[in-house]
Amino acid sequence: MLVPDVKGSITVGVQITLWLFMSSRPRQVRPGARSTTRKDAVTPKQHISEASSSNRGLMSQTQLLQSLGDTASTSADTVEVLKRFIRDLDIPERRILVMKAINAVTIALGHVQKSGWMSSAPIPPYSQSAVENTILSAEISLTALRVMKPGVNIEKATLNFVGKLLALKLYEAAWHLLPSTKIGICSILHDPQSVGSKELVIPHPQSELSQDPDLILVIVTYLSYEAHALLHKEPRLVTSLFWDMVSAVNFTTGGYILSWLTSPGAQGIADKLLPLCTSLLKAVELKYTVFGEELSVLLRIYAIQCVLSVGSGEEYKWIWKQARNVVKEYIKYKSAASSSFGKIFDKSLMSCVEIAGSRYGTNDLDADPSFQDLLSEWRRLPVKDRDKAVLGFIGAPTTRSTVNPQFSTSNITIRASKLSLCLTGNPQEFGTLIGTWCEDIQKWASNPGIENENDWTNIYNGLEKLRRKFRRTYESSDLEKYAIIVFASFSDVYSRLIKGRVSSRIIPDLVSATIECRIVLSKHLLKHVDAHTYGKSLDQLTTSLHLLEDSHTNKELVATGKFRTLRQCISGALWNLGSSLYQAGHWDHAIPFISEGVMVDRDLLQTESIDDKGEKYLTDQFYQQMPRRMMLLASCYVKLGERLASTPHEYDAYKLYRDALACLLTLIGRPLDTHCRTSSGFSLPTESPFQHLIGLIERITVIGAYELRLSADISVDTLSLPIDLSPISRGTLIEAQISILRHDTRKNYIGSIVQELLKSVEAIYQKGYPIRFARLARYIEV
């Protein structure tokens, strides 16, 4: 935190804290002479009332509150009496007194404000020392109440008092009260680590508290008052703080005041937040000249953004004039600004347009004469070193491509920006424009005619801004019906750009965006009631896998570490769609999705490695999910087998059960090996994760032997597995099959099957397992 400039302010704060700590301790009395009274005698606690305090020559509580309610009569003695009462009263009485004292000093300071009193020119009867004593009394009372009853209300009371101090231009006194308020806010947010964050920032916590309107009002008030106080400090001490605020990459995050104003919880209290924003704008307009030219421009635009984020149509009548004045002043000294500042200026002013468009739509802006005046002034800036998307939006001349005059390269980001504004401002207009735009951009992608890498990057950034905004908003609005056409267009265009002369620097991001489009598209294409959509949905995901394997993109992806991450994303999409089909009873159609996902998972396991820090690339979540996917695939086979077992398709059911058993053994092969090595018997385990093993072996054995009479082909040892089971596990599984058939060996065909199974298990046990080999004799006797 910045150190207050008032000499002695830190010392006063420490003294108050120490004094409150001492007052909360039990009073210690020096032991006196030995008393002759009984040991169990109890001396009643002395209660301090108004009468007893007056008998001791002190003010009564009523007299104290009267003194605090009149700043002119608030003296150093009044402060001392307040301290004594807080120290000596019981907690319930102390709380009541402190709350009355806070109300009294707040009202008293309001009278001082109405009198026109200023610290530079005190007006009788309010002396400088009397005002200082009133402020000190307020600080003591607020600190005491915060200890006894923390919460939103005490912070509201503190900020109410701080607001009166700012109105009296007592900026250092106001600044001195703000740190304790930040501590209180962070405590309410259950985020004590944020206390140490820099000025002008209250980080957004990961909880629902961040959307509480009362708390948002307190936070915005605090950040506004903190900015007020910092504006009146030495410019060299606060310049970096304001630069960080106005140059935040995304104004919706970061914990600055604009991020709280644009949060969902602030929309319902815009009328309460608006006075804070207009007051901040006035303060900036009064003090911006003390900063450098570039920072002063961005500060004024930032204050305008704050007003726009909570303003109404009434504010829009004058706020664009304010923005126009900023542009006019910037034009005057543009020659002194850095060459790169033009784009920063355009971006900041464009954010104003986006905020306004998201609240009231672009049609209202186009019909606003003051907004059109702003655009006219904006166009006066030279074209050099300007953002092309902004130039297109405001109507400035741009360089046109000769490849496709109907839809030139420079127009891509222009129209994308307009569509982006329509997303939140005018969804109906978005619907009328998006179809034509998708057709035109696909025509452009077939022959873009771009050679410059910077142009590629600008085009990609413009398209990505629209795609990401659509992805964030379409599910919560009426735009979901456009999802297929939008994501299909983007995936098609991006796929063509990857094959073209696109800059290698944006290849990883371009591939990532393409795969994301195809994943979302696969979800929207899949309709459970229409079997024809299953293949289309699966094609999107398999095409994404082929894109990853493409030699042109693989090198760039591996270099940036995105290769494994994208494969995991595709695997997750296959699993989600396959499980949804399984839940809908479409087990046969779920198998291609889940089995493809299992294959991707196996490839990931084979390429698993350890990085330089000794950490695995694959997450713990991946290792938890893969067994579930394998089990779900086995369940699909089982469900289909049950459906076919009661029909003439026994052989198809038999094959499905074998596939299910192969999946299960792949999953539990290693635990099964451990069990068989430590168990003296031949029986299979029944606890998790082996509970499905016996049932599958029984179904395969019974159907294969009794219904299909497949002789030794029913042996579990003939399964094709991606893992190698230990000999003892293989033998135990075959013994389980023999145990199922042993009682029917008098049937010739069953007897021959058992003999074949015995031969295979003998060959397994003959080397290294003499006890198990000897145990086979009982089967031979049978």
Side-chain angles (χ1 to χ4, degrees):
M1 301 293 288
L2 286 174
V3 179
D5 294 339
V6 176
K7 184 177 181 181
S9 59
I10 294 180
T11 306
V12 172
V14 173
Q15 289 175 347
I16 291 174
T17 305
L18 180 60
W19 169 76
L20 281 171
F21 170 73
M22 296 297 294
S23 67
S24 63
R25 297 175 57 193
R27 300 193 62 188
Q28 298 180 359
V29 182
R30 180 176 296 175
R34 183 180 299 272
S35 174
T36 58
T37 58
R38 289 176 22 217
K39 292 183 178 180
D40 56 350
V42 178
T43 303
K45 181 177 179 180
Q46 183 180 3
H47 178 73
I48 299 179
S49 63
E50 293 192 18
S52 62
S53 63
S54 61
N55 291 335
R56 295 169 56 196
L58 300 176
M59 292 182 187
S60 66
Q61 292 187 29
T62 303
Q63 292 170 335
L64 172 64
L65 293 174
Q66 289 176 350
S67 178
L68 292 174
D70 182 8
T71 301
S73 63
T74 304
S75 62
D77 292 338
T78 306
V79 176
E80 291 301 319
V81 172
L82 176 62
K83 289 182 179 179
R84 290 173 187 169
F85 271 115
I86 294 175
R87 180 188 63 202
D88 295 337
L89 288 175
D90 292 335
I91 290 180
E93 294 183 354
R94 185 193 310 169
R95 184 186 300 117
I96 294 173
L97 175 64
V98 166
M99 293 174 68
K100 290 181 178 180
I102 292 172
N103 289 335
V105 294
T106 303
I107 294 173
L109 205 63
H111 293 319
V112 175
Q113 177 186 349
K114 291 179 181 178
S115 70
W117 186 95
M118 292 292 173
S119 59
S120 57
I123 300 175
Y126 306 115
S127 64
Q128 185 78 29
S129 61
V131 173
E132 291 176 356
N133 289 326
T134 298
I135 296 172
L136 184 57
S137 299
E139 184 175 1
I140 292 171
S141 302
L142 290 167
T143 306
L145 186 58
R146 186 177 283 109
V147 172
M148 293 184 290
K149 193 177 180 180
V152 174
N153 289 333
I154 180 60
E155 308 310 333
K156 285 183 177 180
T158 304
L159 291 171
N160 185 21
F161 193 80
V162 170
K164 296 186 181 302
L165 293 176
L166 292 173
L168 290 169
K169 298 185 178 181
L170 297 172
Y171 303 110
E172 290 302 333
W175 173 255
H176 182 64
L177 287 174
L178 288 173
S180 58
T181 303
K182 184 172 186 177
I183 294 173
I185 292 173
C186 294
S187 177
I188 297 170
L189 291 172
H190 305 299
D191 189 15
Q193 294 181 349
S194 296
V195 173
S197 60
K198 60 186 177 181
E199 286 77 4
L200 301 173
V201 172
I202 297 285
H204 291 262
Q206 298 296 325
S207 68
E208 296 181 356
L209 287 173
S210 62
Q211 302 305 326
D212 178 38
D214 285 342
L215 191 53
I216 290 177
L217 180 59
V218 171
I219 292 172
V220 172
T221 304
Y222 166 81
L223 293 173
S224 174
Y225 287 173
E226 189 177 34
H228 272 273
L230 288 173
L231 284 169
H232 292 83
K233 285 189 172 294
E234 182 68 27
R236 61 183 178 82
L237 298 176
V238 297
T239 296
S240 61
L241 295 174
F242 284 119
W243 262 117
D244 291 341
M245 180 181 73
V246 300
S247 58
V249 176
N250 187 350
F251 62 78
T252 61
T253 60
Y256 292 101
I257 185 171
L258 191 54
S259 69
W260 287 100
L261 290 170
T262 55
S263 62
Q267 301 309 309
I269 55 172
D271 56 331
K272 297 179 180 179
L273 298 174
L274 180 60
L276 295 169
C277 296
T278 53
S279 177
L280 178 61
L281 177 60
K282 292 176 182 177
V284 170
E285 288 296 322
L286 290 173
K287 294 294 294 183
Y288 74 89
T289 54
V290 302
F291 300 101
E293 288 85 355
E294 294 182 359
L295 178 57
S296 64
V297 167
L298 296 182
L299 263 178
R300 298 173 73 188
I301 294 178
Y302 192 88
I304 290 171
Q305 291 171 355
C306 292
V307 174
L308 287 169
S309 63
V310 293
S312 62
E314 292 299 319
E315 284 70 41
Y316 282 29
K317 292 179 181 179
W318 57 266
I319 196 65
W320 296 123
K321 295 179 181 179
Q322 196 80 17
R324 182 188 176 192
N325 293 335
V326 175
V327 177
K328 290 175 70 174
E329 291 196 26
Y330 171 61
I331 292 175
K332 292 179 182 178
Y333 61 78
K334 185 185 182 303
S335 58
S338 61
S339 58
S340 61
F341 186 71
K343 291 184 179 180
I344 300 175
F345 174 83
D346 283 341
K347 181 180 178 181
S348 299
L349 211 54
M350 195 67 186
S351 295
C352 294
V353 179
E354 291 178 356
I355 293 172
S358 65
R359 283 181 62 81
Y360 292 99
T362 55
N363 288 339
D364 291 341
L365 293 180
D366 293 337
D368 189 342
S370 59
F371 179 72
Q372 296 301 322
D373 291 340
L374 168 64
L375 293 182
S376 299
E377 198 69 36
W378 202 351
R379 294 187 191 103
R380 291 181 55 200
L381 289 168
V383 175
K384 187 178 180 182
D385 299 326
R386 301 287 300 283
D387 188 282
K388 291 185 178 180
V390 173
L391 290 174
F393 177 80
I394 65 179
T398 56
T399 305
R400 303 287 180 177
S401 171
T402 58
V403 177
N404 188 351
Q406 285 75 28
F407 195 74
S408 63
T409 298
S410 58
N411 266 329
I412 294 175
T413 52
I414 298 171
R415 291 175 64 179
S417 297
K418 290 185 177 180
L419 284 169
S420 182
L421 288 173
C422 292
L423 275 175
T424 51
N426 192 344
Q428 187 175 2
E429 183 181 358
F430 177 87
T432 60
L433 297 177
I434 188 62
T436 305
W437 186 84
C438 288
E439 293 178 3
D440 289 343
I441 196 173
Q442 290 189 54
K443 293 178 182 178
W444 166 85
S446 62
N447 185 18
I450 301 176
E451 300 292 339
N452 190 302
E453 288 194 0
N454 291 330
D455 289 339
W456 273 121
T457 304
N458 291 335
I459 293 297
Y460 170 71
N461 290 338
L463 294 176
E464 268 297 275
K465 184 177 180 181
L466 174 60
R467 186 190 70 83
R468 291 178 181 177
K469 191 169 183 179
F470 181 81
R471 183 194 62 191
R472 291 194 306 266
T473 58
Y474 81 95
E475 289 183 333
S476 59
S477 63
D478 296 331
L479 299 172
E480 190 168 3
K481 56 187 174 183
Y482 303 113
I484 292 180
I485 184 176
V486 171
F487 288 113
S489 297
F490 272 107
S491 62
D492 182 51
V493 169
Y494 282 177
S495 298
R496 294 184 185 184
L497 295 182
I498 292 172
K499 297 177 182 179
R501 296 182 179 180
V502 67
S503 169
S504 60
R505 293 179 300 172
I506 64 173
I507 280 287
D509 293 331
L510 196 56
V511 172
S512 179
T514 307
I515 290 177
E516 184 180 348
C517 286
R518 292 191 179 278
I519 289 175
V520 177
L521 192 58
S522 67
K523 181 182 74 171
H524 287 281
L525 285 173
L526 183 67
K527 308 295 181 184
H528 292 166
V529 296
D530 187 359
H532 297 290
T533 63
Y534 302 160
K536 297 177 182 178
S537 176
L538 183 60
D539 287 344
Q540 295 295 328
L541 301 177
T542 54
T543 303
S544 298
L545 289 172
H546 296 155
L547 179 62
L548 278 180
E549 299 298 336
D550 187 78
S551 59
H552 177 62
T553 61
N554 193 5
K555 180 180 178 181
E556 299 293 337
L557 288 169
V558 172
T560 57
K562 288 189 175 183
F563 184 78
R564 288 186 179 88
T565 302
L566 291 173
R567 287 187 71 89
Q568 289 186 63
C569 291
I570 297 172
S571 172
L574 289 163
W575 154 259
N576 291 335
L577 296 179
S579 60
S580 70
L581 288 170
Y582 176 86
Q583 295 296 333
H586 305 302
W587 308 308
D588 49 345
H589 296 294
I591 288 175
F593 288 90
I594 304 173
S595 59
E596 187 73 32
V598 169
M599 291 178 60
V600 175
D601 291 345
R602 288 175 181 170
D603 293 340
L604 286 169
L605 284 174
Q606 291 176 359
T607 59
E608 170 67 310
S609 57
I610 307 298
D611 62 12
D612 297 336
K613 298 180 181 179
E615 298 178 356
K616 294 181 177 180
Y617 284 106
L618 299 176
T619 62
D620 293 338
Q621 184 181 12
F622 172 82
Y623 286 101
Q624 294 171 4
Q625 290 177 345
M626 186 177 178
R628 298 176 190 171
R629 297 171 185 178
M630 190 73 74
M631 184 62 73
L632 187 65
L633 181 60
S635 297
C636 289
Y637 288 128
V638 170
K639 292 287 187 181
L640 290 174
E642 291 173 350
R643 178 189 292 173
L644 295 174
S646 58
T647 67
H649 302 283
E650 291 91 350
Y651 185 70
D652 293 332
Y654 171 76
K655 291 193 297 181
L656 290 169
Y657 284 133
R658 283 177 62 89
D659 290 338
L661 181 60
C663 292
L664 186 61
L665 288 175
T666 303
L667 179 62
I668 65 172
R670 296 296 172 253
L672 181 64
D673 289 343
T674 302
H675 169 83
C676 293
R677 284 196 301 268
T678 57
S679 175
S680 58
F682 73 92
S683 60
L684 292 170
T686 57
E687 68 275 7
S688 178
F690 309 102
Q691 63 266 32
H692 303 291
L693 184 60
I694 297 176
L696 284 173
I697 290 177
E698 184 175 359
R699 291 177 186 181
I700 291 172
T701 305
V702 170
I703 295 176
Y706 290 98
E707 303 293 338
L708 302 176
R709 301 186 181 186
L710 296 176
S711 68
D713 292 338
I714 69 170
S715 174
V716 177
D717 205 32
T718 61
L719 289 175
S720 176
L721 300 176
I723 63 172
D724 294 328
L725 291 176
S726 65
I728 196 170
S729 294
R730 292 161 50 209
T732 302
L733 293 173
I734 299 174
E735 280 193 77
Q737 290 185 287
I738 296 173
S739 179
I740 293 170
L741 301 174
R742 58 183 294 193
H743 299 294
D744 287 331
T745 52
R746 283 172 294 185
K747 298 178 180 179
N748 291 335
Y749 63 90
I750 298 296
S752 63
I753 293 174
V754 171
Q755 290 299 322
E756 293 294 330
L757 292 175
L758 278 171
K759 289 180 182 179
S760 62
V761 78
E762 282 178 6
I764 294 173
Y765 285 161
Q766 198 166 16
K767 297 180 181 179
Y769 302 97
I771 297 176
R772 288 180 175 264
F773 181 76
R775 191 173 62 202
L776 295 178
R778 62 174 178 167
Y779 296 123
I780 298 174
E781 291 175 0
V782 173

